[in-house]
Amino acid sequence: MASTYWTGGTSGDFYNVKNWSTGASPTTYHDVNISGTSSTATAEAVASTASSTAVPSLTIGDYGTLDITASSCQSSETSPVFSTSSFQVGQYGSIVIDTASAVQLGDINVMNGTLTIENNRSNVFMGAGDRLNGEGTLNLVNSTFGSQTDGVNIANSMHITLSGTSSVYTGFLATGVSVAFDSKSSEQFFLNGTDTTVDTSFSGVSAKTQFGITANTGETPLSASYVKNTDGSYSLVVQESDNHTLTLSNVTMASGYTPGTLAITQDKSGNYLISDTSANSSNSGGSNCGGHGGHWGHHDGNSSGNSGHSGWSGHDGHNSSGCGDHGSSWGWGSGSGGCDYSSSLKQIISAWNNAFSSCKGWQSSSCGSSNWFGGNSYQSGSAWNCSSSWGQQSSGSNGCFSSSGQSSSHTQVPVTNTTSHWGC
């Protein structure tokens, strides 16, 4: 099998032929290898340009890194911006996916290093097997991995970390050996409802953590509660229909958090969410955007933010300071009762980033009679000119916005690329 090795002699561009041992495009070789020699002699390549040609076999050896930052408004599972049929990553190697566009990682893999997915919502695919193997680490940063219909089977020898409002959908008895939550942000971990006892080690669980059961597994959770174990950890016991019980036997709470009463709700996709009711009660009322309503608020925000519901990522945020329904994913239902914007700053920034990194961008929609912040400044009455469209899958200056450059996950000297800003 013909192979080519990364030399990085000219730049960090993955597709620059001068950066490879053979002096030819890496997509013309069966095996593509990116490896360093030590912690001070690393190798890093950046795939910042969308490519329709799959790499048959990708090897990221020790001290090697591949950053995938390419973006395309037309990307999908069948036409990703980067794809490989199989890959393997060494213990000190890493793949970083920092794009909202589709990336296909193939069916066959061994992940003994680190896979980091940033700012991507269910747009990284594992192929027909939907399985991630190895003893490495999966890092999700403001991302969703898997989906309701396509859960990812994560080997029970792998570690998972979630931060920045991330979610993962796992398969049957394939939930990793450990899962670490960020107690400062809202994270969701979805399980297969037909599981019985899951001995994965869950840590950093807080009032913001939600465990979920996907709607298509045939099980309906009826009640859930935490039971304290003799070693100070907890077991999450979920009673389901048909006298079935799902138990997470090793749950460690974040410092200072004692679990309260748990409630079971459904999101707009029909998935079941297990939440601590104390997390929602503190968010009800006019000063906190009407609460999250179980799953980031899937009902209208009322005039004073009452009823524990919010227009965030749901339906229209009504009344004077709800910002309409920016493509069903913008606007919070604070209403005339006002909203504590400072406490929602992380959510606002996250939605801002998602809006600019998504291919639809700012969609044409009704944004109410007030501006983005609900006051009378910053283009009052037009909500940042939201009656027009910023990026509707067109080209040139009217196309979608995407970030460029090297991922912030690395400290190596940045490799600058400016493949697309207002166009894809």
Side-chain angles (χ1 to χ4, degrees):
M1 296 183 295
S3 301
T4 186
Y5 296 86
W6 175 262
T7 62
T10 299
S11 66
D13 185 358
F14 180 84
Y15 296 104
N16 188 324
V17 297
K18 295 180 180 180
N19 289 324
W20 295 96
S21 60
T22 56
S25 172
T27 58
T28 63
Y29 285 82
H30 181 274
D31 184 65
V32 173
N33 189 303
I34 302 172
S35 299
T37 56
S38 70
S39 59
T40 58
T42 59
E44 184 166 9
V46 180
S48 59
T49 303
S51 174
S52 59
T53 304
V55 175
S57 178
L58 174 67
T59 298
I60 309 296
D62 287 345
Y63 309 110
T65 296
L66 173 62
D67 287 325
I68 303 171
T69 63
S71 178
S72 171
C73 291
Q74 286 74 41
S75 73
S76 66
E77 183 176 4
T78 57
S79 58
V81 296
F82 182 91
S83 59
T84 180
S85 300
S86 65
F87 70 90
Q88 58 179 341
V89 180
Q91 180 179 2
Y92 301 110
S94 61
I95 296 176
V96 178
I97 299 172
D98 189 5
T99 176
S101 298
V103 173
Q104 173 61 256
L105 293 180
D107 292 321
I108 303 171
N109 61 83
V110 179
M111 172 55 69
N112 288 327
T114 303
L115 171 62
T116 299
I117 303 174
E118 303 179 3
N119 307 309
N120 186 292
R121 298 295 178 184
S122 298
N123 229 3
V124 175
F125 304 97
M126 297 304 303
D130 284 324
R131 185 168 183 84
L132 189 60
N133 301 299
E135 299 179 351
T137 300
L138 167 66
N139 295 323
L140 297 181
V141 183
N142 191 39
S143 295
T144 303
F145 192 37
S147 66
Q148 175 180 336
T149 55
D150 290 301
V152 181
N153 297 298
I154 302 174
N156 288 329
S157 52
M158 288 202 65
H159 302 272
I160 306 169
T161 68
L162 298 92
S163 62
T165 313
S166 292
S167 303
V168 60
Y169 292 79
T170 61
F172 177 70
L173 293 178
T175 55
V177 66
S178 72
V179 178
F181 296 97
D182 178 4
S183 61
K184 296 180 181 179
S185 59
S186 299
E187 318 294 347
Q188 296 178 332
F189 193 93
F190 288 92
L191 301 118
N192 187 305
T194 59
D195 286 347
T196 51
T197 299
V198 176
D199 58 6
T200 300
S201 173
F202 295 94
S203 63
V205 174
S206 71
K208 295 182 178 181
T209 305
Q210 291 181 316
F211 287 101
I213 296 175
T214 50
N216 58 336
T217 59
E219 292 290 345
T220 301
L222 304 176
S223 65
S225 61
Y226 281 113
V227 178
K228 197 165 186 177
N229 300 325
T230 56
D231 62 357
S233 66
Y234 288 81
S235 290
L236 174 61
V237 181
V238 184
Q239 300 295 337
E240 299 179 318
S241 55
D242 302 324
N243 293 318
H244 184 267
T245 301
L246 166 62
T247 301
L248 276 57
S249 63
N250 189 1
V251 180
T252 302
M253 304 303 170
S255 177
Y257 170 62
T258 300
T261 302
L262 300 181
I264 299 174
T265 58
Q266 282 185 279
D267 63 18
K268 58 186 177 182
S269 298
N271 299 310
Y272 297 96
L273 295 167
I274 301 170
S275 310
D276 191 329
T277 56
S278 64
N280 292 328
S281 62
S282 64
N283 285 330
S284 63
S287 63
N288 285 288
C289 300
H292 297 318
H295 184 59
W296 296 99
H298 56 277
H299 296 291
D300 296 344
N302 299 314
S303 62
S304 297
N306 295 322
S307 303
H309 297 301
S310 170
W312 189 273
S313 194
H315 299 298
D316 297 350
H318 292 311
N319 299 299
S320 63
S321 62
C323 188
D325 99 14
H326 264 307
S328 297
S329 62
W330 186 257
W332 55 91
S334 59
S336 59
C339 180
D340 182 357
Y341 297 112
S342 62
S343 67
S344 301
L345 187 57
K346 275 190 175 182
Q347 298 167 6
I348 294 171
I349 291 173
S350 175
W352 179 302
N353 289 337
N354 289 340
F356 278 99
S357 63
S358 67
C359 284
K360 292 183 179 179
W362 290 93
Q363 299 185 50
S364 176
S365 59
S366 172
C367 288
S369 59
S370 64
N371 58 61
W372 187 56
F373 278 108
N376 292 316
S377 58
Y378 299 101
Q379 297 213 22
S380 176
S382 64
W384 281 64
N385 196 24
C386 62
S387 60
S388 61
S389 302
W390 287 15
Q392 287 288 333
Q393 298 190 11
S394 56
S395 60
S397 62
N398 293 321
C400 72
F401 175 87
S402 65
S403 60
S404 63
Q406 188 179 10
S407 166
S408 59
S409 298
H410 304 295
T411 56
Q412 194 170 345
V413 178
V415 178
T416 303
N417 56 83
T418 56
T419 56
S420 73
H421 287 283
W422 293 103
C424 292

